[in-house]
Structures are given as C-alpha cells and as structure tokens.
C-alpha cells in the first residue's frame, strides 16, 4: 500500500536521547508509519501502543490503530490487514501473547509478515507482571521469527529492520522483536535514532505476493489442507524460516550502512581464546559482558555468546563460535517442567558431538534479579564442569 | 490378511458397516480393524472406511493403499472418485448399482472380478433405509466369508445397542436380501505391491506450492459437489425472482448460474451440493428445496456430465 503523504510537523531531532525501550520502539513505529496497528493493551507492552497512539493523535504518524477487544482479535485483524496489502503491526506481552498464540501460528502459515513488538513477561500463574521468557517460549514452534534485543538501542534498531525481514519475498513471516519487560521496556538509557527519512527509505514500500485487495487477481487464502498437502505446506514454511539467515545478512548489512551498527544473529563477545563461555538471551547479556571484562582483567579466559536470533536459531555459527571452548553454561529464563530448559535443549543439539561440557542454569523467573555475583559463580563452576550435569537455579532460595 | 476399502457418502453408513463387518469377523475368530477416513465432514461428501482381518494380531496402522476388495455403496461415486485406485486385478470390486457388470466394467476400466448388487432396491424391499447392510450381505456371499449367520450376529453386536428390536430385525432382513442376491465366491488375498506412484500421483512437491497455501480463486467450479446432495435440490419460481443475486453471493459452490447479462437463470446441479443457503438468502422466497430422484444426480447419467 502506498504511503500517504502528510503535512508532518518538523521531524524529531536526530541523535542520541534518553529513551525507554518502549519509547525507542514507539519511535521506530512512528518512523516506519505502518498502515495498521492492531492491539490490546497489556503490561509491560502498553507504553508502546500509548506512545504510538499519541503520535497518531498528534498527526505525526498515519497508522490506523485498531483497538481490538482481545489479543486474539488484534492478531486476527493484523492477519487480515497484512494479507489485504497493508503493512501491519501489533504489540503484546505474556498473557496477551498466550491469547494470540493460535493466530500467531495461523499468521505464520498464511505467511503474513506482521511485525510484533514484544515486551517479555512471565506467564501466569501465579500472575506476575515482570520479565522472563516464558511467553516467547510459548511461541517457539509457531513459525514466527524471534529476535531478542539486549538493550533499548537494539530494540529500536531491530524494530527498524523488522519490516524488511518480515516482508522479504523468501520470508513472509511474522517477526517478533523481543525486549525484556521492565528491564528494557521501562528503563531509560541513551538511544540513537535515525532520521525519519532514513527509516522510511530503509523500510521501503510494503509488498505481498497475493494481496487480497487485488481484485483483478482474486485468490483464496487459508484453505483446508488434508493429509495430502498439510505436510508439504508446513515444510515450505520451514524453508521461509531458514531463508531468514541470508536475508538477515542483507538487511543487517544495509542497516549497518545507514546506522554504523552491525548485527549478527548471535554476538561472540571475547570468545576468541575463551575456554569458558556463557550463552544467554536478552538483557542479561549486558550484565554478563561486565563480568567477562572483570574476569578478563584478572587473566581468566571467559567469554559470552549472546543469542539474538532465537528463531531461526543460528545453530551452525553458534557451534563455530564455541568451537575452542571447553565448558559452556546455558542460562535459561524459562522452565520446561519435566524436560530440559528450552535454550539448553537447543544448545545441546547445536553442540552435539563437540567435546564441550554443558551446564544448565535457570534464572530470573517472574523478574527475579540476576546479580553479577551469580554470573561470577557460574564462571567459577565452569572451571570444573565435566560432561552434562543437572540443572542449577540461580537466585533461588533452595 | 484381507484389506477392504468401502466408498460411500457421508450419511450412507460406510463407517457403520465397516464396524459391523469387524464385529462379525471377530465373532468368526479373526483379528480385525475397522477405521474411517474423513474428508469434508458433510453428509453426501465422499468418505472412505477400511477393514483389515487376519488370523493373527494386526499391528500395522498404515493406510490401506492396495486393498483386496473395494466396495462402493453409491454408484454416483464411480464418476467422482477413483474407486479402483490400488485394487489389484486379482481383487474384487463390489458395487451397489442397478447397472450390469459390463456397464460398470466400462465405467471404471477394472479387469478383475466385479459383482453388482441392486442394494437400494433390496433395502427398500426389506424395509431398510440404507443399502450398506444389504451390500455387506452381498459381500459375505461374494467372499465366502463370514457365514451369513455370523454377519447377522455382527449386526446384533455392532448395532444392537443403537437400534430398536424392530429396526434390528429390518437390518438382519436386509443382510439376508443382499446375501441372497449374488452368487457365491471366494476371496483369494492378492499379492500386495503398492503402486510406486500410489497416493501421491499428480500431487505437487512442496517447493512448487504457492506461498501461504494461496490458491487461485474460482476452484469451487472445478469440484463436482453435485454428488453431495442427499435427496433435495433447490428449485426457483422465476416469476418471484427480483434478480438481487443474493443467492449467487451466498452459494458456497458457485452453483448459481447467471446469463451474460448478469441475470439469474438457474442452478448448475453438477455443482449444487443442496445446502439450502440460497433458500435462506432469497428475500422473496423464490427458491425452495424440492425432493429429487437420484436420476437427476450427476454421475448417474451415462458417462460424463
Ligand atoms: S443449495 Fe443453493 S446455495 Fe447450496 S449449493 Fe445449491 S445453489 Fe448453492
Ligand atoms: S436471491 Fe432470490 S430473488 Fe435474488 S436473484 Fe436469487 S432467486 Fe432471485
């Protein structure tokens, strides 16, 4: 759908400002100016949609906001809009994502490139508003791309990249840009914004292969698939997710050209000569970096592998990044009762056959803080790690 | 092991008769399986059910792709479904039809043994509403197994809890009618070499599918859903038609025919599935459902449309 031209007030000042993760993402949405944003409020996502709504009310964005009566409806509206030919977004957290989840699977299978701003929050029960990754893990197998931000800058940058990731003709999948609820979404820190024009030309025009509103070329979307075709269609969806790895290279490359900030699907931090490493998603990576630097000062060979792309999971490059490491601690901010924690299971598969000791740690559920001491303890325990061992809980009163 | 595939239409009791068959063979000391396969869940739509029987335990859960026996409960299916798919020339095709064996052979091009039974007529004669049990009786005779007494016992076991004593007696009479209507035969299990192109013949590879399972519009016109009707079809009183075209909008199967001048002219009964949505949609009451004789249904007319 072509962008409407508007008499906009003078563009926001470009440059570095103090913004929360929510505000940073709301600015990205204002700059992208999607055609439709279908939402239902939920903590800690609400500040995102509140700020976008203010931008729209002030005439600084032309997005049609659909206040749905539930997240299930919000996501459904986004699917219809995206397939009709409108660039569509939503934002959610926790129970909201849980209520949406049925439609997230459908959006992925109908190849609706919806950008989803997610502020991660623990799933009930008990009811809790604070961060963990259980909501994202619920969407693990939905077919939606999941990108985790370490800080507000990454949340902004990934949000700007998201439409091009989602809408690439080889991908056409929902893309979740995940930031840790409160820890990032409600914490102000310096964020460098691109110029509005730069963002608009970076994301370009919205195109889907079979827009429903193209009445000259009518199509049927969402047909029934029996055993003779369901499997093939799901397999085709898997290819779209796999394609994201090379699409990421292109999009992140262009983004680095515009912003000067290069991103991979994972980040290797001081891993080159490391013999011990921590693997983690989201904001905790920043805390781990500080501990790595501190231990490096005293000569310890420790490093971090931060997972940015949780879906698709950059399995091969992760294995390559950890090839010289003797022991690895995987920090999961979610549980899978009765089985290995989600990230641990994926890391065990990624490192299969490699001579690496693997330790599983679960931390931070329901917003429980993870201090620097906990991370120091993990690196100490890694010194003596052999093979596989039972899961340990960081910050739990046992 | 004997494998049977039953072809029917939703509501004709293909699944029920497969369960009755299994109950009878269990009585006869066999190990049995009976399972349905669902497509569009609507009465009149083509459905399949399957039986396996053997002297020892059956553990396989794979689909039946090369049956020894195919039973067709509705002759209109011969024009709509590839009923002999995977059926070895050494196997048996049993069809509920008024047509002759040679006529059926010409329709389906099957070289092996064909048995025809006028199941509908026999069912009516026995006071039954469905031909499925008549056909089961004929099948028992054509295969030489199970004995008719065992089949009747199977009916009591499978249906006794659901039917009144009178309805059960009718069912038993219908079984006997079918049993008496065909000549005796024997079942020789055929060598089972599944066709290499079997169930995937003509289907697309995953790479060739359109993104998001999108399909071109207008496919309703290519599926001959006319065979789904179960005794009623819409009829119009043109005098009352105001050409609002609501029936055309609501018809799920593109069965409302318009002239080049976009004027309602009638229904395409090869496509009309008899759902009666047009009756509800019509603001003037111009459309009503009327009883139809099976002869008006597609597939029953000689070859083709
Ligand atoms: S009954 Fe009416 S609405 Fe239904 S398929 Fe036939 S013509 Fe269409
Ligand atoms: S809905 Fe009734 S009045 Fe309207 S076109 Fe159809 S038959 Fe005619």
């Amino acid at each position: 759908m072509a962008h409407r031209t508007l008499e906009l007030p003078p563009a926001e000042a470009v440059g570095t400002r103090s913004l929360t993760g929510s505000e940073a993402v709301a600015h990205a949405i204002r700059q992208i100016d999607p055609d439709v944003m279908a939402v239902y409020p939920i903590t800690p996502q609400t500040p995102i949609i509140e700020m976008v709504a203010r931008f729209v009310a002030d005439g600084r964005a032309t997005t049609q906001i659909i206040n749905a009566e539930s997240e299930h409806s919000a996501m459904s509206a986004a699917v219809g809009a995206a397939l009709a030919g409108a660039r569509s977004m939503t934002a959610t957290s926790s129970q909201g994502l849980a209520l949406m989840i049925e439609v997230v699977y459908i959006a992925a299978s109908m190849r609706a490139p919806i950008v989803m701003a997610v502020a991660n929050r623990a799933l009930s029960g008990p009811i809790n508003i604070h961060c963990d990754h259980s909501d994202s893990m619920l969407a693990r197998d939905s077919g939606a791309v999941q990108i985790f931000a370490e800080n507000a800058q990454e949340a902004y940058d990934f949000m700007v990249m998201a439409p091009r990731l989602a809408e690439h003709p080889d991908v056409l999948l929902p893309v979740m840009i995940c930031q840790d609820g409160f820890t990032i979404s409600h914490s102000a820190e310096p964020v460098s914004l691109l110029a509005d024009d730069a963002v608009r030309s970076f994301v370009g025009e919205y195109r889907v292969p079979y827009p429903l509103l193209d009445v000259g070329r009518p199509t049927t979307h969402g047909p029934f698939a029996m055993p003779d075709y369901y499997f093939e269609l799901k397999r085709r969806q898997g290819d779209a997710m796999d394609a994201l790895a090379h699409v990421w290279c292109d999009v992140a490359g262009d983004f680095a050209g515009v912003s000067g900030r290069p991103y991979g699907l994972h980040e290797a931090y001081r891993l080159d000569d490391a013999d011990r490493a921590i693997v983690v998603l989201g904001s905790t990576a920043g805390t781990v970096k500080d501990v790595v630097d501190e231990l490096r000062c005293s000569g310890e060979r420790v490093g971090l592998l931060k997972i940015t792309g949780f879906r698709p999971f950059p399995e091969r490059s992760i294995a390559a990044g950890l090839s010289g490491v003797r022991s690895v601690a995987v920090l999961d901010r979610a549980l899978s009762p009765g089985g290995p924690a989600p990230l641990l299971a994926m890391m065990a598969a990624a490192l299969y056959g490699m001579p690496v000791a693997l330790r599983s740690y679960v931390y931070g559920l329901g917003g429980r803080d993870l201090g620097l001491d906990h991370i120091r303890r993990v690196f100490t325990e890694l010194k003596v790690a052999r093979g596989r061992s039972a899961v340990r809980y960081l910050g739990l009163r046992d | 092991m004997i494998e049977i595939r039953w072809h029917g239409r939703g509501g004709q009791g293909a699944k029920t008769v497969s369960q009755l068959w299994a109950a009878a063979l269990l009585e006869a000391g066999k190990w049995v399986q009976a399972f349905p396969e669902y497509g569009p869940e609507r009465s009149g739509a083509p459905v399949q059910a399957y039986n396996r029987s053997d002297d020892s335990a059956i553990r396989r859960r794979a689909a039946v792709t090369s049956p020894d026996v195919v039973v067709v409960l509705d002759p209109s299916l011969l024009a709509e479904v590839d009923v002999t798919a995977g059926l070895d020339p050494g196997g048996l095709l049993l069809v509920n039809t008024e047509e002759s064996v040679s006529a059926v052979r010409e329709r389906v091009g099957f070289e092996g043994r064909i048995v025809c039974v006028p199941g509908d007529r026999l069912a009516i004669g026995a006071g039954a509403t469905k031909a499925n049990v008549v056909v089961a009786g004929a099948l028992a005779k054509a295969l030489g197994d199970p004995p008719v007494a065992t089949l009747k016992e199977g009916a009591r076991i499978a249906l006794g809890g659901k039917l009144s004593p009178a309805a059960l007696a009718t069912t038993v009479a219908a079984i006997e009618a079918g049993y008496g209507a065909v000549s005796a035969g024997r079942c020789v299990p055929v060598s089972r070499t599944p066709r290499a192109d079997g169930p995937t013949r003509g289907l697309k590879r995953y790479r060739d599918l359109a993104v998001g399972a999108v399909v071109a519009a207008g496919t309703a016109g290519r599926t001959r859903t006319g065979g789904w009707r179960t005794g009623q079809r819409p009829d119009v009183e043109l005098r009352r038609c105001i050409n609002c075209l609501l029936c055309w909008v609501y018809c799920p199967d593109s069965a409302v025919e318009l002239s080049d001048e976009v004027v309602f002219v009638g229904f395409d009964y090869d496509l009309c599935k008899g759902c009666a949505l047009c009756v509800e949609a019509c603001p003037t009451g111009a459309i009503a459902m009327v009883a139809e004789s099976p002869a008006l249904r597609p597939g029953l007319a000689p070859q083709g449309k």
Side-chain angles (χ1 to χ4, degrees):
Chain A
M1 190 179 275
H3 261 290
R4 295 130 300 182
T5 37
L6 248 204
E7 296 282 325
L8 289 174
E12 289 283 325
V14 183
T16 303
R17 316 204 255 151
S18 176
L19 296 173
T20 65
S22 303
E23 291 166 346
V25 160
H27 273 288
I29 295 171
R30 171 184 62 74
Q31 294 176 314
I32 295 164
D33 198 16
D35 299 300
V36 169
M37 184 144 183
V39 281
Y40 188 84
I42 184 167
T43 301
Q45 169 281 121
T46 309
I48 298 176
I49 184 55
E50 275 178 357
M51 193 164 180
V52 172
R54 204 174 314 128
F55 287 141
V56 171
D58 292 349
R60 297 173 60 201
T62 64
T63 302
Q64 172 154 0
I65 294 176
I66 301 174
N67 286 307
E69 80 278 14
S70 74
E71 284 87 353
H72 191 281
S73 303
M75 192 63 189
S76 301
V79 169
L83 295 176
R87 180 173 273 148
S88 305
M89 294 191 177
T90 188
T92 196
S93 293
S94 182
Q95 304 311 114
L97 183 58
L99 187 51
M100 243 180 214
I101 197 73
E102 176 185 354
V103 193
V104 176
Y105 275 72
I106 291 168
S109 78
M110 294 181 82
R111 309 290 293 275
I114 299 160
V115 173
M116 305 168 66
V118 175
N120 287 112
R121 161 183 156 184
L123 285 175
S124 299
I127 190 168
N128 172 292
I129 56 167
H130 291 284
C131 180
D132 69 31
H133 296 154
S134 50
D135 51 0
S136 262
M137 297 305 131
L138 178 67
R140 187 189 63 182
D141 303 334
S142 65
V145 171
Q146 288 200 43
I147 306 295
F148 276 80
E150 178 190 327
N151 49 44
Q153 182 70 60
E154 286 192 358
Y156 170 80
D157 289 348
F158 295 160
M159 200 66 190
V160 171
M161 287 164 61
R164 282 189 50 188
L165 297 170
E167 296 160 19
H168 190 283
D170 294 343
V171 177
L172 291 166
L173 291 174
V175 170
M176 294 164 56
I177 302 300
C178 306
Q179 56 175 306
D180 284 353
F182 291 101
T183 316
I184 303 177
S185 70
H186 285 60
S187 306
E189 59 185 357
V191 177
S192 170
L193 300 185
L194 298 175
D196 293 0
D197 288 353
V199 172
R200 295 235 170 121
S201 67
F202 180 81
V203 297
E205 290 286 312
Y206 180 78
R207 265 187 205 93
V208 282
Y210 305 104
L212 280 166
L213 292 182
D214 181 356
V215 291
R217 205 173 47 133
T219 44
T220 300
H221 290 244
F224 187 52
M226 292 294 283
D228 58 354
Y229 272 113
Y230 183 89
F231 197 178
E232 277 71 20
L233 289 163
K234 296 315 275 188
R235 174 70 184 83
R236 187 116 162 74
Q237 219 182 301
D239 268 358
M241 186 63 94
D242 294 343
L244 194 111
H246 75 253
V247 171
W248 177 277
C249 292
D250 291 351
V251 173
D254 289 355
F255 186 79
V258 177
S259 67
R261 293 185 290 274
Y263 292 107
L265 280 172
H266 78 276
E267 180 190 345
Y269 186 78
R270 306 193 78 165
L271 271 182
D272 276 348
D273 63 339
D275 62 4
R276 284 167 283 152
I278 282 178
V279 175
V280 76
L281 288 166
S283 65
T284 305
T287 321
V288 175
K289 283 175 180 171
D290 273 0
V291 176
V292 166
D293 284 0
E294 169 197 308
L295 295 176
R296 282 271 172 183
C297 280
S298 45
E300 298 200 37
R301 289 172 28 211
V302 294
L304 160 76
L305 192 139
K306 177 179 88 180
I307 310 278
T308 299
F310 178 71
R311 278 291 180 277
F313 194 63
E315 200 172 62
R316 290 221 188 112
S317 52
I318 286 171
L322 293 171
S323 59
V325 172
R326 203 174 40 76
S327 53
V328 171
V330 180
L331 272 54
D332 268 281
R333 202 163 189 178
L335 275 179
S336 177
L343 193 53
L344 187 267
M346 287 156 60
M347 287 304 300
L351 301 180
Y352 178 74
M354 287 172 57
V356 174
L358 204 53
R359 282 242 152 139
S360 172
Y361 293 88
V362 169
Y363 76 101
L365 299 192
R368 176 64 50 85
D369 184 45
L370 188 75
L372 281 77
D373 259 344
H374 293 120
I375 295 163
R376 290 186 193 106
R377 195 184 105 200
V378 170
F379 277 126
T380 303
E381 289 177 359
L382 279 185
K383 284 184 186 170
V384 295
R386 299 272 177 282
R388 288 275 294 273
S389 60
V391 58
R392 296 177 185 208
Y393 300 90
L394 295 170
L396 177 85
R397 296 180 299 277
D398 41 25
Chain B
M1 186 186 303
I2 307 277
E3 294 182 321
I4 302 176
R5 182 172 69 220
W6 304 81
H7 287 278
R9 293 189 180 277
Q12 290 180 335
K15 179 184 147 202
T16 303
V17 75
S18 74
Q19 289 178 342
L20 185 160
W21 190 262
L25 285 173
L26 180 62
E27 273 305 288
K30 302 283 188 192
W31 192 285
V32 292
Q33 271 184 356
F35 52 99
E37 178 181 325
Y38 290 107
E41 288 190 49
R42 187 191 176 279
S43 65
V47 293
Q48 275 91 249
Y50 302 87
N51 280 108
R52 282 194 177 102
S53 56
D54 204 356
D55 292 328
S56 53
I58 302 169
R59 295 169 299 189
R60 66 186 64 182
R61 298 287 161 186
V64 171
T65 54
S66 40
D68 304 279
V69 177
V70 168
V71 184
V72 181
L73 293 178
D74 187 316
S76 68
L77 289 167
L78 297 178
E80 198 176 326
V81 178
D82 182 8
V83 295
T84 56
L87 178 62
D88 190 278
L92 167 70
L93 174 65
L94 175 67
V95 185
N96 167 23
T97 180
E98 293 284 341
E99 284 189 329
S100 67
V101 167
S102 56
V104 169
R105 193 181 300 286
E106 199 175 321
R107 274 179 191 281
V108 299
F110 178 62
E111 316 256 288
R113 184 172 163 221
I114 298 178
V115 173
C116 294
V117 59
D120 289 344
R121 183 152 45 87
L122 294 173
I124 292 165
T129 51
K130 286 176 189 165
N132 60 346
V133 288
V134 176
V135 176
L139 182 63
K141 182 79 159 293
L143 294 179
D145 193 45
V148 69
T150 313
L151 191 59
K152 290 191 284 187
E153 185 54 25
R156 273 179 215 109
I157 294 164
L159 305 175
K162 298 178 194 160
L163 299 180
S164 66
L168 191 60
T170 304
T171 298
V172 168
I175 289 173
E176 282 169 344
Y179 196 85
V182 300
S183 47
R186 212 160 57 81
C187 179
V188 185
V190 297
S191 66
R192 215 166 275 110
T193 324
R195 298 183 309 180
D197 64 344
T200 61
R201 202 170 29 145
L203 300 180
K204 286 185 181 168
R205 299 183 319 163
Y206 88 88
R207 287 187 187 84
D208 301 330
L209 296 174
V211 159
V214 165
V215 290
T219 51
R222 276 191 257 140
T223 310
R224 295 180 68 203
T225 30
W228 297 17
R229 292 201 305 280
T230 50
Q232 291 216 306
R233 65 182 165 88
D235 200 12
V236 68
E237 200 182 331
L238 274 176
R239 186 176 57 81
R240 294 169 71 181
C241 172
I242 56 170
N243 205 47
C244 67
L245 301 189
L246 280 172
C247 53
W248 177 81
V249 169
Y250 279 93
C251 175
D253 283 285
S254 304
V256 173
E257 289 186 314
L258 306 182
S259 69
D260 289 345
E261 293 75 37
V262 198
V263 173
F264 173 94
V265 290
F267 302 101
D268 181 340
Y269 292 116
D270 272 356
L271 301 180
C272 169
K273 66 182 172 193
C275 67
L277 274 178
C278 53
V279 176
E280 292 297 318
C282 180
T284 68
I287 309 175
M289 296 306 280
V290 297
E292 65 177 334
S293 85
L296 280 173
R297 292 172 54 178
L300 293 185
Q303 288 293 326
K305 224 173 148 177

